Amino acid sequence: MKKILFLAAASAVACCTTVAQTMATSYKAAENNNPVSANVFCADPTALEYNGRMYVYGSNDHQEFVANGKKGSNTYGNIKSIVVFSTDDMVNWTFHGTIDTRRLCSAWAPDKWYKGYGVSWAPSVTWRHNESTGKDEFFLYFCNSSHGIGVLTAEAPTGPWRSPRKELMIHYDTPGANPQGTYANFDPGVTIDDEGTGWIAFGGLGPSTIMPEAARIVRLKPSMTEVDGAAVKIHAPYHFEANELNIVGGKYVYTYCANWASRDAAEWNDYRSSHGINVGAPGGGTMCYMVSDNPADADSWVFRGYYGPGVAGNNHSHLQKFKGEYYHIYHNHGSVLLDAMKSAGAVDGSAGDYRSICVNRATVDEATATVGTVALTIEGVSQVKRLNPYEWQQAETMANCGGVEYEDFSNITKNTKVSSLGNDVSENMQVRMKAGAWINVRGIDYGENGAGRFTLKAKGKGTMDLRSGTNPRNTIATIGFESDGMEEQSVDIPAETAGKLKGVRNNLYLVVTDATDFYVDAWKFDENDATGISEVQLQQPATTGAAYDLGGRRMRGNGAGHGIVVKNGRKICR
C-alpha cells in the first residue's frame, strides 16, 4: 500500500476539462471566522482539548439537508451520524468527516424499542488517560431521539469508534430517569471530575413552567459505559434542554437552555428569596448555568444566571477551555450560511433550520466558577497560533472555501472501493471541488526568509493558482499537474512575487482554475533559506499538537497523507 492514502472514487469516468472563469461563491465573509465551516451544516456542539488541538463534535444537520434535497425544514429524523472538526489555532479548521452511528449501533436490537438505535443528536464527549492500560480513552455520548442516551468509545479523538453496548446506556427503565410518556431523556452532558469519577446530565422538554423538573444527573461506573446508581434531579429553573457539564475550579458547572415560559416577577422573586440568590430571571432560549460541590445532592445546585444570549430557535452550547482560554461554542440557526445561500439563490427558499457551529470567547473566573455573559459576533475569535506553511497541510484544513462540497453524508452502505484509509467510520466521505472552487487558510507565518517553492500532492490533470493577500485574484504562482497516481509536484515561486510570501500574511488561496479528474491531498512550501526553517512565531504559547485520521492513527511527520481528499468536479461532455 502506498504511504499516501486518500479517499477517492476509483472508477474512471469520461469527462472533459473544465476551466474556471470566476471563483466560486463563498457564503462565509472573508473577514469573519464564524461559522466554523463554510459549507457543512452542523449543530449541538461539544468539544475536548487533546494534544494541542480542540476537537469539536456536532449533530450532522447536513445529512438531513442532503436527504431532504437541500430544501424543506430540518426535522432531524435523517441525522444518523456525527460530524468532527478540529483546530490548533481557532481559525483554520480541519474537517475529519463523520462518525457513522447508524452502522456502529446497528446491533442494538433489544426486545424493547426504546433501547434500540434510531438517530444521533447532540453529542457530548470526554477523555481520560488510563494509567492501568497506558492508553488514552475517549467517550462519546449522544441522544437517540428523546428516549435515551447511547455511548461510543475509542482510543483517539477521531476513532475508530465502537459501541461497547448492545443497547442505550440510559433509557426509560434507568432508575431515576424520566419515565416513558413524560419529558425526555436526551441531550447528554458528560464530565470527569478531579477524582476521576464520570458524571452525565440529561433530560428536557418538561412543562413550560418555572420548575419543569426534567433535568437529571447520574454517576457513571469506572467503565464510563454504565450508570452507577439512580439518577437524581437538578432543580433547574426554566429548564428546557441542551445539558452540558464542566469542572471549573474544582466545582461542577451545569449548563442548559432556558425555556420560553412566561416570567412572572412575583414567582421569580419567591424563587430568589427561597434560594438565597440575587440574579434576574433568564430570558427564553438563553444558556443558563448552575454550580454545585456535590452533584448527587439535588439541593446543592445553585442557579447563577445566564451567560449565553438567546438565538432564534433552540439553543445549544458548550464551554471549552483551550490553551488557557475559555470558548463558548454554539449553533446559529441559519442566518450565517443558510440565509446567505438563499439570498444568492443557491438553495431552495423553503430550506429552514439547518444550523451552523460558531465560536466566541467566554470569560470564566475559575476561583469562583463564575461565567460572564458572552457576546455573540460573526467575526468570531482571534487566531491563537500561526499556520506553518513549511509543514504538510491537509487539503481539508481551511478557514473558508467556495465551491467545495462533501459528497456523501449518508454513511449507510459500506463500500471499500471508496476508501483506502482502512477506517470503518467515515468510509464514504469525499470532498468535491468544481472548476473555480477554492480553499482559503489564514494567518500564515512565512518567516523572514520567505517561501521559495510550493509542493502539491495530487492526482489527475489540473491547474491551481496560489493567491495571497486581501485580493484573492492576485496570483503569486501557478502549478500545473498531470499524474495517474497520487504524486508530488513542485513549482518555484517567481522572484517578482516572492516578496508577498514573507512574514505574516493573512490569507492564502488555493484556486483550481481547470481540471480533469483532479484530486488534491496536501500542500506545503519550502523556505528560501537552505539552512533550515525559521521558527514560526505564535501569538501566544501553544502546545505541540498531534493530528489523527478517522482510523485513529497518529499522523507523524508527513502526516497529510491520512487526509480527506479534495476531488475536482467533473463536467460530463455532452
Side-chain angles (χ1 to χ4, degrees):
M1 182 179 291
K2 289 186 178 181
K3 185 176 182 181
I4 307 303
L5 302 174
F6 57 96
L7 282 170
S11 60
V13 178
C15 60
C16 58
T17 301
T18 56
V19 179
Q21 303 300 319
T22 59
M23 290 178 63
T25 302
S26 170
Y27 303 102
K28 175 180 177 178
E31 65 273 15
N32 295 334
N33 291 323
N34 274 330
V36 164
S37 175
N39 58 347
V40 176
F41 293 116
C42 43
D44 306 321
T46 187
L48 59 81
E49 179 178 4
Y50 183 72
N51 280 357
R53 296 189 71 84
M54 180 193 288
Y55 290 83
V56 173
Y57 307 75
S59 300
N60 191 354
D61 277 18
H62 212 90
Q63 188 172 17
E64 178 89 9
F65 179 63
V66 172
N68 289 346
K70 302 184 179 181
K71 60 184 179 181
S73 296
N74 184 358
T75 60
Y76 318 122
N78 291 298
I79 299 176
K80 301 177 187 294
S81 56
I82 294 168
V83 297
V84 187
F85 290 87
S86 76
T87 184
D88 65 355
D89 64 15
M90 298 305 297
V91 169
N92 298 296
W93 291 85
T94 300
F95 180 55
H96 295 282
T98 60
I99 301 170
D100 185 358
T101 53
R102 174 171 177 166
R103 189 185 55 75
L104 292 172
C105 305
S106 61
W108 292 4
D111 56 349
K112 294 184 178 179
W113 65 269
Y114 54 81
K115 297 182 182 181
Y117 176 81
V119 292
S120 51
W121 304 341
S124 187
V125 69
T126 192
W127 75 280
R128 69 184 179 192
H129 179 72
N130 190 322
E131 293 290 348
S132 62
T133 65
K135 295 180 178 180
D136 294 335
E137 298 174 334
F138 295 80
F139 304 92
L140 182 64
Y141 305 82
F142 63 90
C143 62
N144 186 31
S145 184
S146 63
H147 53 268
I149 307 297
V151 58
L152 301 175
T153 61
E155 293 181 3
T158 52
W161 296 90
R162 70 178 189 88
S163 171
R165 299 176 56 90
K166 298 299 183 182
E167 63 181 30
L168 291 175
M169 185 184 77
I170 294 173
H171 46 72
Y172 292 129
D173 296 338
T174 299
N178 291 306
Q180 187 173 349
T182 63
Y183 317 155
N185 293 313
F186 70 173
D187 287 12
V190 68
T191 194
I192 298 175
D193 65 23
D194 296 339
E195 303 300 319
T197 301
W199 297 86
I200 192 165
F202 61 96
L205 302 188
S208 188
T209 63
I210 187 174
M211 193 55 64
E213 297 288 35
R216 300 288 189 272
I217 189 169
V218 66
R219 187 196 316 266
L220 295 175
K221 290 184 178 180
S223 67
M224 296 290 290
T225 61
E226 296 179 85
V227 300
D228 185 7
V232 299
K233 292 180 180 180
I234 299 178
H235 303 303
Y238 299 114
H239 176 265
F240 182 57
E241 60 182 18
N243 314 284
E244 275 280 21
L245 285 172
N246 285 86
I247 304 297
V248 177
K251 295 183 180 295
Y252 300 83
V253 176
Y254 166 63
T255 61
Y256 65 93
C257 175
N259 65 22
W260 286 266
S262 61
R263 269 52 170 173
D264 180 87
E267 189 175 46
W268 182 250
N269 285 335
D270 287 344
Y271 177 85
R272 289 197 308 175
S273 176
S274 62
H275 288 80
I277 61 173
N278 187 27
V279 295
T286 57
M287 294 303 303
C288 305
Y289 76 110
M290 303 182 78
V291 176
S292 171
D293 289 315
N294 181 11
D297 179 359
D299 295 324
S300 70
W301 291 94
V302 178
F303 182 78
R304 292 283 192 87
Y306 83 93
Y307 67 94
V311 298
N314 62 1
N315 202 349
H316 198 122
S317 73
H318 176 67
L319 281 173
Q320 180 61 45
K321 189 176 183 180
F322 178 62
K323 297 186 177 181
E325 302 291 342
Y326 280 90
Y327 295 90
H328 174 63
I329 311 172
Y330 60 101
H331 66 226
N332 177 289
H333 277 258
S335 60
V336 178
L337 286 184
L338 189 60
D339 287 356
M341 291 179 179
K342 286 183 179 180
S343 297
V347 299
D348 191 271
S350 67
D353 204 33
Y354 298 105
R355 301 161 294 180
S356 299
I357 292 177
C358 300
V359 183
N360 285 108
R361 283 284 301 276
T363 302
V364 177
D365 184 337
E366 293 186 336
T368 60
T370 301
V371 185
T373 304
V374 177
L376 306 185
T377 68
I378 195 62
E379 292 82 10
V381 298
S382 299
Q383 193 171 18
V384 300
K385 175 181 180 291
R386 297 299 187 191
L387 185 142
N388 185 350
Y390 306 123
E391 296 176 345
W392 282 108
Q393 300 294 332
Q394 300 180 61
E396 68 276 17
T397 297
M398 60 190 78
N400 201 354
C401 66
V404 174
E405 295 181 2
Y406 300 96
E407 294 185 318
D408 189 347
F409 278 80
S410 61
N411 297 105
I412 294 173
T413 304
K414 185 172 183 179
N415 183 355
T416 55
K417 293 181 179 179
V418 173
S419 172
S420 60
L421 279 174
N423 78 74
D424 59 355
V425 178
S426 189
E427 62 211 356
N428 299 324
M429 191 61 60
Q430 305 180 45
V431 179
R432 180 174 181 264
M433 294 182 71
K434 298 178 180 179
W438 51 272
I439 290 172
N440 162 238
V441 293
R442 297 178 182 166
I444 310 100
D445 190 350
Y446 296 98
E448 295 181 1
N449 298 321
R453 173 170 285 232
F454 176 80
T455 301
L456 186 69
K457 287 182 182 177
K459 173 188 176 183
K461 181 180 179 180
T463 304
M464 175 182 285
D465 282 354
L466 310 182
R467 304 178 186 180
S468 181
T470 57
N471 186 348
R473 303 189 182 280
N474 292 332
T475 299
I476 304 299
T478 299
I479 185 169
F481 206 98
E482 185 170 4
S483 172
D484 291 333
M486 188 63 67
E487 296 180 1
E488 296 179 14
Q489 185 159 315
S490 301
V491 62
D492 290 330
I493 306 300
E496 60 269 23
T497 58
K500 295 183 179 181
L501 299 179
K502 280 189 174 183
V504 175
R505 300 287 171 160
N506 288 333
N507 291 287
L508 173 70
Y509 295 85
L510 308 181
V511 184
V512 177
T513 55
D514 66 90
T516 303
D517 247 0
F518 192 45
Y519 300 77
V520 179
D521 185 54
W523 60 270
K524 76 178 184 72
F525 287 92
D526 290 334
E527 194 179 18
N528 265 323
D529 185 0
T531 61
I533 297 173
S534 63
E535 179 97 11
V536 175
Q537 299 299 310
L538 308 181
Q539 287 185 319
Q540 66 182 49
T543 305
T544 301
Y548 294 79
D549 64 22
L550 281 174
R553 296 168 301 204
R554 183 170 178 172
M555 298 186 290
R556 304 178 185 276
N558 182 354
H562 300 280
I564 294 175
V565 167
V566 177
K567 178 184 177 183
N568 186 74
R570 297 172 295 190
K571 182 177 180 181
I572 305 301
C573 298
R574 299 184 184 275

